[in-house]
Amino acid sequence: MKSLLITGCAGFIGSNFAPYFLDKYPDYHLVNLDLLTYAGNLENLDEIAGSDRYTFIHGDICDRDLLEQLFSQHDIRGVIHFAAESHVDNSIKNPGVFVQTNVNGTFTLIDVAYKYWMEKPFAFKSGYEACRFHHISTDEVYGTLGETGLFTEATPYAPNSPYSASKAGSDMIVRSYYHTYGMNTVITNCSNNYGPKQHNEKLIPTIIRKAITGENIPIYGDGKNIRDWLYVLDHCKGIDLVYHSGNVGEVYNIGGRNERNNNYIADKVCEILDELRPKAQGSYKDQLNYVEDRAGHDKRYAIDATKIETELGWQADESFETGIVKTIKWYLGKA
Ligand code: NAD
């Protein structure tokens, strides 16, 4: 049995990833380190809570003593690092915690891993040669696009929000541990995820929640901002592939080639709700309400996923139109 440290698994993506991964790999023991901030919810992990191959640790990735203790107690042989502050709006109001968790936290985690797995630069301890550090990041590090073009792994970093700047900083730290110390790192930069278990504050859960509670559904600015939407399980499958087969020191962009603007997303969600849970009168679209734009709102993100598709054979199974139906059904089941 091999123990892997998976950080931030009580959050949206980690809580979709952990059950999938545990089920697929019977030889892994997953140690989930999560601080349970407002974004973490252990109920998201009810399905694996009783597994003897799953251990939950309540704690902070910035806590070096705790990390050192966890590495030696569980003899950690790999890290998949999800934990982060992740909401752009919060980073505008309170950037300090983003730097603390995303930059300092990632540094502390990778530094503890380095010292546990390696004797010195480019020399692994005997038996630890295969230990890998997988950093989960975002396409937002590349900044914003005009009407055309796609983010590739070679696109220069140009983060625009405190969130994306702190993620960019964490990516650079991970990169430096590969180049300076020869650590076995991989980084994945993914586009916007949606699906079950996402926190209420994010766009799609907000649209669904406000729609079914009869409130105004807020849309920033003119609603024309474009994101490249990926169903969360497709992201999890990409992480699995990169963790197991990605080349050392490499970066892989993950995106579903599903560019949609916010107006389209809101209309689509309302149309599906009109079918699945019709209102007594009218359409959910009647509740759409344009509000003041987010400060510094990036116009367009879109990923070129050619590298992971051609080198590792990854492909998204869901289009936005199939994934969104699954997502809405999940939220209606929970409401
Ligand atoms: P999330 O906000 O839903 O979950 C983050 C989790 O990290 C929570 O459980 C929280 O309690 C935990 N956490 C926060 N600070 C911590 C700390 N100091 N120590 C330990 N745990 C801590 O985030 P998510 O949407 O699941 O995103 C996971 C990762 O994927 C993040 O690194 C994010 O940048 C990246 N990402 C997200 C998206 C997306 O669309 N959601 C897209 C691309 C990349």
Side-chain angles (χ1 to χ4, degrees):
M1 191 72 60
K2 200 192 251 192
S3 286
L4 307 183
L5 179 62
I6 318 279
T7 67
C9 260
F12 166 44
I13 301 172
S15 64
N16 280 279
F17 180 79
Y20 164 81
F21 209 60
L22 210 54
D23 185 50
K24 185 163 173 194
Y25 297 102
D27 291 340
Y28 285 157
H29 167 226
L30 303 186
V31 178
N32 169 22
L33 173 64
D34 197 301
L35 188 55
L36 297 182
T37 67
Y38 79 95
N41 180 0
L42 279 184
E43 282 173 21
N44 285 342
L45 292 164
D46 275 351
E47 65 215 271
I48 58 169
S51 167
D52 56 3
R53 292 188 294 112
Y54 168 74
T55 303
F56 171 66
I57 308 287
H58 185 200
D60 192 336
I61 54 165
C62 301
D63 183 344
R64 180 177 283 269
D65 291 344
L66 172 65
L67 289 171
E68 285 171 353
Q69 186 200 319
L70 285 179
F71 270 77
S72 54
Q73 184 186 341
H74 295 283
D75 190 22
I76 297 295
R77 298 299 180 115
V79 174
I80 304 181
H81 176 34
F82 293 95
E85 287 291 335
S86 72
H87 191 42
V88 176
D89 287 343
N90 294 343
S91 83
I92 296 168
K93 289 184 212 120
N94 185 16
V97 67
F98 283 69
V99 175
Q100 173 64 4
T101 291
N102 300 356
V103 180
N104 292 342
T106 301
F107 159 68
T108 308
L109 183 60
I110 197 166
D111 193 60
V112 169
Y114 166 59
K115 290 181 174 127
Y116 187 74
W117 294 337
M118 300 181 74
E119 305 276 5
K120 59 180 184 177
F122 298 91
F124 279 88
K125 294 178 186 168
S126 173
Y128 289 82
E129 294 80 0
C131 294
R132 165 160 275 189
F133 189 99
H134 185 152
H135 179 55
I136 308 297
S137 193
T138 166
D139 62 350
E140 301 193 28
V141 298
Y142 298 121
T144 186
L145 290 164
E147 304 223 323
T148 57
L150 298 169
F151 297 133
T152 74
E153 291 79 1
T155 302
Y157 275 30
N160 289 325
S161 72
Y163 164 62
S164 52
S166 65
K167 290 297 291 186
S170 64
D171 293 8
M172 294 297 128
I173 289 164
V174 174
R175 176 187 157 90
S176 76
Y177 272 68
Y178 164 67
H179 284 279
T180 303
Y181 304 113
M183 268 188 90
N184 178 350
T185 64
V186 281
I187 300 175
T188 45
N189 293 86
C190 188
S191 58
N192 275 48
N193 284 216
Y194 68 97
K197 305 181 185 176
Q198 190 166 25
H199 194 276
N200 269 342
E201 68 189 354
K202 299 287 172 85
L203 177 69
I204 289 176
T206 298
I207 297 173
I208 300 171
R209 181 168 45 88
K210 299 272 184 186
I212 59 182
T213 52
E215 296 169 69
N216 281 344
I217 303 169
I219 305 292
Y220 280 138
D222 61 6
K224 291 188 178 155
N225 301 68
I226 295 172
R227 301 291 180 263
D228 187 352
W229 291 92
L230 184 68
Y231 189 64
V232 64
L233 200 55
D234 281 325
H235 185 191
C236 295
K237 291 172 185 170
I239 293 168
D240 174 12
L241 261 183
V242 172
Y243 181 76
H244 287 106
S245 317
N247 289 317
V248 180
E250 288 292 318
V251 174
Y252 296 87
N253 284 353
I254 310 181
R257 302 182 192 276
N258 273 277
E259 283 185 58
R260 305 286 185 273
N261 75 25
N262 291 348
N263 288 326
Y264 176 88
I265 304 273
D267 282 350
K268 193 78 198 165
V269 171
C270 290
E271 281 164 22
I272 295 167
L273 284 172
D274 282 339
E275 260 182 60
L276 295 179
R277 189 180 285 194
K279 285 169 58 137
Q281 263 188 337
S283 163
Y284 288 101
K285 287 185 192 174
D286 304 337
Q287 292 164 233
L288 292 175
N289 179 40
Y290 289 87
V291 298
E292 189 184 343
D293 208 354
R294 167 191 280 167
H297 202 172
D298 285 339
K299 200 71 198 160
R300 175 173 167 257
Y301 305 145
I303 287 255
D304 180 349
T306 305
K307 181 172 172 181
I308 188 171
E309 287 167 350
T310 54
E311 285 187 17
L312 304 182
W314 176 85
Q315 218 188 339
D317 291 326
E318 304 289 345
S319 69
F320 181 75
E321 287 64 30
T322 58
I324 194 64
V325 174
K326 292 185 179 180
T327 305
I328 292 174
K329 286 185 174 162
W330 186 86
Y331 281 97
L332 289 179
K334 190 181 83 133

